[in-house]
Amino acid sequence: MAELRISAKNLGELARPEFCPRCFWLKSHARYLPFQIFPGIFSSIDAYTKRVIHAWMDRNGGAPFGLENLGDVAGYVDPTRYSRFMMKVPEHDILLTGAPDEILTFRDGSIAVIDYKTARFTPAQDRLMPMYVVQLNGYAAIAEHQGLGRVSKLALVYAEPVTDERTAARPEIHTDDGFTMPFAVSVHPVGLDLGMLKPLYRRAREIYDLPEAPEGRKGCQDCERLDRLMLLARKL
Ligand code: SF4
Protein backbone atom coordinates (compact mmCIF):
# COMPACT_ATOMS: atom_id res chain seq x y z
CA MET A 1 0.00 0.00 0.00
CA ALA A 2 1.13 3.55 -0.71
CA GLU A 3 2.42 5.90 1.97
CA LEU A 4 -0.41 7.80 3.64
CA ARG A 5 0.40 11.51 3.75
CA ILE A 6 -1.85 13.18 6.28
CA SER A 7 -1.89 16.52 8.06
CA ALA A 8 -2.12 16.56 11.85
CA LYS A 9 -5.43 18.41 11.46
CA ASN A 10 -6.92 15.70 9.23
CA LEU A 11 -5.67 13.08 11.68
CA GLY A 12 -7.64 15.01 14.29
CA GLU A 13 -10.84 14.39 12.30
CA LEU A 14 -10.72 10.83 13.67
CA ALA A 15 -11.19 12.17 17.20
CA ARG A 16 -14.37 14.13 16.44
CA PRO A 17 -17.63 12.64 17.76
CA GLU A 18 -19.22 13.16 14.33
CA PHE A 19 -16.30 11.54 12.46
CA CYS A 20 -17.29 9.94 9.16
CA PRO A 21 -15.00 7.17 7.82
CA ARG A 22 -16.44 7.60 4.32
CA CYS A 23 -15.53 11.29 4.24
CA PHE A 24 -12.07 10.45 5.57
CA TRP A 25 -11.52 7.75 2.93
CA LEU A 26 -12.69 10.04 0.11
CA LYS A 27 -10.58 12.98 1.28
CA SER A 28 -7.46 10.83 1.68
CA HIS A 29 -7.76 9.22 -1.76
CA ALA A 30 -8.98 12.21 -3.81
CA ARG A 31 -6.54 14.85 -2.68
CA TYR A 32 -8.48 17.70 -4.28
CA LEU A 33 -12.23 17.93 -3.70
CA PRO A 34 -14.64 20.40 -5.33
CA PHE A 35 -16.48 23.11 -3.38
CA GLN A 36 -13.62 23.50 -0.89
CA ILE A 37 -13.30 27.28 -1.00
CA PHE A 38 -11.87 28.69 2.21
CA PRO A 39 -11.78 32.49 2.49
CA GLY A 40 -8.16 33.67 2.63
CA ILE A 41 -8.98 36.49 5.04
CA PHE A 42 -8.70 34.16 8.04
CA SER A 43 -5.16 33.12 7.14
CA SER A 44 -4.27 36.79 6.68
CA ILE A 45 -5.62 37.65 10.13
CA ASP A 46 -3.83 34.65 11.71
CA ALA A 47 -0.58 35.86 10.10
CA TYR A 48 -1.28 39.40 11.32
CA THR A 49 -1.92 38.12 14.88
CA LYS A 50 1.46 36.44 14.76
CA ARG A 51 3.17 39.64 13.53
CA VAL A 52 1.50 41.71 16.27
CA ILE A 53 2.66 39.24 18.93
CA HIS A 54 6.20 39.09 17.53
CA ALA A 55 6.38 42.89 17.40
CA TRP A 56 5.22 43.09 21.03
CA MET A 57 7.79 40.49 22.11
CA ASP A 58 10.61 42.14 20.16
CA ARG A 59 9.79 45.48 21.80
CA ASN A 60 9.07 44.38 25.37
CA GLY A 61 10.46 40.88 25.92
CA GLY A 62 8.23 38.20 27.51
CA ALA A 63 4.82 37.61 25.92
CA PRO A 64 1.49 39.49 25.79
CA PHE A 65 -2.26 38.75 25.99
CA GLY A 66 -2.06 35.93 28.56
CA LEU A 67 0.59 33.94 26.68
CA GLU A 68 2.92 34.83 29.56
CA ASN A 69 0.76 32.56 31.78
CA LEU A 70 1.95 29.54 29.80
CA GLY A 71 5.44 29.87 31.28
CA ASP A 72 8.57 32.00 31.35
CA VAL A 73 8.59 32.94 27.66
CA ALA A 74 12.02 33.77 26.24
CA GLY A 75 11.07 34.31 22.57
CA TYR A 76 9.86 32.50 19.48
CA VAL A 77 11.40 30.09 16.98
CA ASP A 78 12.20 31.58 13.59
CA PRO A 79 9.50 30.06 11.28
CA THR A 80 12.12 29.32 8.59
CA ARG A 81 13.51 26.68 10.98
CA TYR A 82 10.33 24.64 10.54
CA SER A 83 9.31 25.34 6.95
CA ARG A 84 9.36 21.59 6.09
CA PHE A 85 7.38 20.42 9.09
CA MET A 86 6.74 16.69 8.79
CA MET A 87 7.75 13.30 10.14
CA LYS A 88 7.54 9.70 9.04
CA VAL A 89 5.66 7.18 11.16
CA PRO A 90 7.34 4.03 9.78
CA GLU A 91 5.20 1.60 11.76
CA HIS A 92 2.15 2.63 9.72
CA ASP A 93 3.90 4.05 6.62
CA ILE A 94 2.43 7.48 7.35
CA LEU A 95 3.90 10.90 6.62
CA LEU A 96 2.49 13.29 9.22
CA THR A 97 2.57 16.92 8.08
CA GLY A 98 1.59 20.26 9.54
CA ALA A 99 2.16 23.98 9.70
CA PRO A 100 2.18 25.31 13.26
CA ASP A 101 1.28 28.97 13.54
CA GLU A 102 3.73 29.63 16.35
CA ILE A 103 6.46 28.01 18.42
CA LEU A 104 7.46 29.89 21.58
CA THR A 105 10.59 29.19 23.61
CA PHE A 106 10.74 29.10 27.42
CA ARG A 107 13.73 29.97 29.56
CA ASP A 108 13.94 26.35 30.80
CA GLY A 109 14.77 25.32 27.21
CA SER A 110 11.37 23.76 26.42
CA ILE A 111 8.94 25.05 23.77
CA ALA A 112 5.21 25.72 23.33
CA VAL A 113 3.27 24.99 20.14
CA ILE A 114 0.52 27.51 19.41
CA ASP A 115 -2.32 27.64 16.90
CA TYR A 116 -4.05 30.93 16.15
CA LYS A 117 -7.80 31.04 15.48
CA THR A 118 -9.61 34.04 14.10
CA ALA A 119 -12.90 33.28 15.79
CA ARG A 120 -15.07 33.73 18.83
CA PHE A 121 -14.76 30.86 21.30
CA THR A 122 -18.27 29.42 20.98
CA PRO A 123 -19.90 26.01 21.57
CA ALA A 124 -19.29 25.33 17.84
CA GLN A 125 -15.57 25.90 18.39
CA ASP A 126 -15.79 23.71 21.45
CA ARG A 127 -17.13 20.84 19.31
CA LEU A 128 -14.02 21.12 17.14
CA MET A 129 -11.79 20.88 20.21
CA PRO A 130 -11.06 17.11 19.93
CA MET A 131 -9.67 17.76 16.44
CA TYR A 132 -7.58 20.73 17.59
CA VAL A 133 -6.18 18.71 20.51
CA VAL A 134 -4.92 16.02 18.10
CA GLN A 135 -3.67 18.67 15.69
CA LEU A 136 -1.55 20.36 18.36
CA ASN A 137 -0.27 17.06 19.75
CA GLY A 138 0.65 16.05 16.19
CA TYR A 139 2.61 19.30 15.82
CA ALA A 140 4.30 18.60 19.15
CA ALA A 141 5.39 15.14 17.96
CA ILE A 142 6.83 16.61 14.74
CA ALA A 143 8.55 19.49 16.60
CA GLU A 144 10.30 17.06 18.95
CA HIS A 145 11.16 14.72 16.07
CA GLN A 146 12.77 17.64 14.20
CA GLY A 147 14.81 18.58 17.26
CA LEU A 148 13.14 21.94 17.83
CA GLY A 149 12.99 21.23 21.58
CA ARG A 150 11.05 19.39 24.24
CA VAL A 151 7.41 20.48 24.07
CA SER A 152 6.03 21.45 27.47
CA LYS A 153 2.89 23.44 26.51
CA LEU A 154 0.22 23.53 23.81
CA ALA A 155 -2.32 26.31 23.37
CA LEU A 156 -4.99 27.73 21.10
CA VAL A 157 -5.02 31.51 20.85
CA TYR A 158 -8.38 32.95 19.80
CA ALA A 159 -8.48 36.42 18.26
CA GLU A 160 -12.12 37.53 18.33
CA PRO A 161 -13.16 40.56 16.25
CA VAL A 162 -14.74 43.26 18.46
CA THR A 163 -17.63 44.56 16.35
CA ASP A 164 -20.16 46.12 18.74
CA GLU A 165 -21.70 49.55 18.02
CA ARG A 166 -19.82 51.35 20.79
CA THR A 167 -16.50 50.15 19.44
CA ALA A 168 -17.47 51.10 15.86
CA ALA A 169 -18.29 54.64 17.05
CA ARG A 170 -14.93 55.24 18.72
CA PRO A 171 -13.05 58.05 16.91
CA GLU A 172 -9.72 56.19 16.78
CA ILE A 173 -11.38 53.41 14.77
CA HIS A 174 -11.85 55.77 11.82
CA THR A 175 -8.71 56.47 9.82
CA ASP A 176 -7.99 58.59 6.74
CA ASP A 177 -8.20 55.61 4.41
CA GLY A 178 -10.72 53.39 6.17
CA PHE A 179 -11.16 51.93 9.65
CA THR A 180 -9.50 49.52 12.03
CA MET A 181 -11.02 46.61 13.92
CA PRO A 182 -9.84 45.57 17.39
CA PHE A 183 -9.48 41.93 18.39
CA ALA A 184 -9.94 40.45 21.87
CA VAL A 185 -7.37 37.73 22.47
CA SER A 186 -7.87 34.71 24.73
CA VAL A 187 -5.47 31.83 25.37
CA HIS A 188 -6.75 28.27 25.83
CA PRO A 189 -4.13 25.75 27.03
CA VAL A 190 -4.47 22.26 25.52
CA GLY A 191 -3.41 18.98 27.17
CA LEU A 192 -0.15 17.45 26.02
CA ASP A 193 -0.47 13.70 25.40
CA LEU A 194 1.56 12.31 22.51
CA GLY A 195 0.29 8.81 23.34
CA MET A 196 -3.11 9.74 21.88
CA LEU A 197 -1.63 9.71 18.38
CA LYS A 198 -0.78 6.00 18.14
CA PRO A 199 -4.33 4.58 17.93
CA LEU A 200 -5.24 7.35 15.49
CA TYR A 201 -2.36 6.43 13.15
CA ARG A 202 -3.57 2.83 13.21
CA ARG A 203 -7.20 3.80 12.55
CA ALA A 204 -6.23 6.21 9.74
CA ARG A 205 -4.20 3.48 8.07
CA GLU A 206 -7.02 0.93 8.41
CA ILE A 207 -9.56 3.23 6.76
CA TYR A 208 -7.15 4.39 4.04
CA ASP A 209 -6.34 0.78 3.11
CA LEU A 210 -9.99 -0.18 2.56
CA PRO A 211 -10.46 -1.12 -1.12
CA GLU A 212 -13.55 1.07 -1.42
CA ALA A 213 -15.25 3.88 0.46
CA PRO A 214 -16.96 2.61 3.65
CA GLU A 215 -20.47 3.52 4.76
CA GLY A 216 -21.10 7.17 5.56
CA ARG A 217 -22.16 8.68 8.84
CA LYS A 218 -25.75 7.90 9.81
CA GLY A 219 -28.01 10.91 9.52
CA CYS A 220 -25.78 12.89 7.16
CA GLN A 221 -27.78 13.69 4.03
CA ASP A 222 -25.00 15.20 1.96
CA CYS A 223 -24.06 11.90 0.29
CA GLU A 224 -27.67 11.51 -0.83
CA ARG A 225 -27.56 15.04 -2.21
CA LEU A 226 -24.35 14.18 -4.06
CA ASP A 227 -25.97 11.07 -5.57
CA ARG A 228 -28.90 13.22 -6.74
CA LEU A 229 -26.49 15.76 -8.27
CA MET A 230 -24.62 13.01 -10.12
CA LEU A 231 -27.87 11.58 -11.47
CA LEU A 232 -28.89 15.05 -12.59
CA ALA A 233 -25.52 15.62 -14.28
CA ARG A 234 -25.95 12.40 -16.29
CA LYS A 235 -29.28 13.66 -17.64
CA LEU A 236 -27.84 16.97 -18.87
S1 SF4 B 1 -22.04 10.70 4.97
FE1 SF4 B 1 -21.75 12.93 5.13
S2 SF4 B 1 -19.85 13.19 6.17
FE2 SF4 B 1 -19.89 11.10 5.39
S3 SF4 B 1 -19.00 11.10 3.32
FE3 SF4 B 1 -21.12 11.43 3.07
S4 SF4 B 1 -21.28 13.68 3.06
FE4 SF4 B 1 -19.31 13.22 3.99
Side-chain angles (χ1 to χ4, degrees):
M1 266 292 176
E3 178 185 75
L4 168 57
R5 184 188 173 111
I6 185 169
S7 70
K9 189 170 184 184
N10 284 347
L11 187 72
E13 289 277 354
L14 287 133
R16 295 184 63 188
E18 60 269 43
F19 171 70
C20 172
R22 184 177 178 81
C23 233
F24 184 85
W25 190 95
L26 290 169
K27 279 193 213 162
S28 334
H29 282 268
R31 291 193 59 196
Y32 299 101
L33 295 175
F35 314 125
Q36 298 286 303
I37 299 161
F38 185 76
I41 186 72
F42 295 106
S43 306
S44 302
I45 298 174
D46 288 349
Y48 186 65
T49 305
K50 179 175 179 155
R51 286 189 195 119
V52 168
I53 289 174
H54 284 189
W56 194 100
M57 292 169 77
D58 292 345
R59 201 169 48 241
N60 304 304
F65 312 139
L67 281 168
E68 68 275 22
N69 297 328
L70 293 175
D72 194 1
V73 178
Y76 50 86
V77 177
D78 175 0
T80 57
R81 278 190 60 201
Y82 52 92
S83 53
R84 285 179 53 77
F85 198 74
M86 53 185 72
M87 90 176 182
K88 280 186 180 290
V89 185
E91 197 185 339
H92 301 286
D93 198 9
I94 283 176
L95 182 68
L96 185 67
T97 66
D101 287 333
E102 184 75 271
I103 297 183
L104 299 178
T105 58
F106 294 120
R107 289 193 200 286
D108 68 1
S110 66
I111 58 174
V113 182
I114 309 291
D115 204 53
Y116 294 127
K117 303 280 176 216
T118 302
R120 182 172 300 160
F121 190 79
T122 60
Q125 285 292 321
D126 210 20
R127 278 206 304 278
L128 294 170
M129 195 53 78
M131 178 173 72
Y132 294 152
V133 170
V134 174
Q135 180 185 5
L136 278 172
N137 275 282
Y139 290 171
I142 301 173
E144 292 195 348
H145 178 80
Q146 293 201 332
L148 294 172
R150 177 179 62 82
V151 178
S152 60
K153 290 280 162 55
L154 304 173
L156 295 166
V157 174
Y158 281 80
E160 176 186 342
V162 181
T163 57
D164 61 278
E165 284 190 21
R166 251 182 77 210
T167 304
R170 275 163 42 191
E172 65 271 24
I173 295 292
H174 306 104
T175 63
D176 289 344
D177 54 354
F179 58 87
T180 62
M181 184 191 288
F183 286 83
V185 176
S186 59
V187 178
H188 301 259
V190 164
L192 179 65
D193 174 14
L194 301 189
M196 75 168 58
L197 300 172
K198 275 194 175 174
L200 299 177
Y201 294 144
R202 191 165 46 242
R203 182 83 180 111
R205 188 76 232 185
E206 277 168 9
I207 297 173
Y208 182 73
D209 287 349
L210 291 172
E212 56 188 60
E215 284 288 304
R217 174 160 51 88
K218 280 197 174 57
C220 175
Q221 294 174 349
D222 285 347
C223 267
E224 281 173 34
R225 292 185 186 120
L226 178 64
D227 285 345
R228 282 204 295 273
L229 268 178
M230 286 165 69
L231 270 177
L232 197 59
R234 274 190 215 121
K235 285 184 191 159
L236 293 178

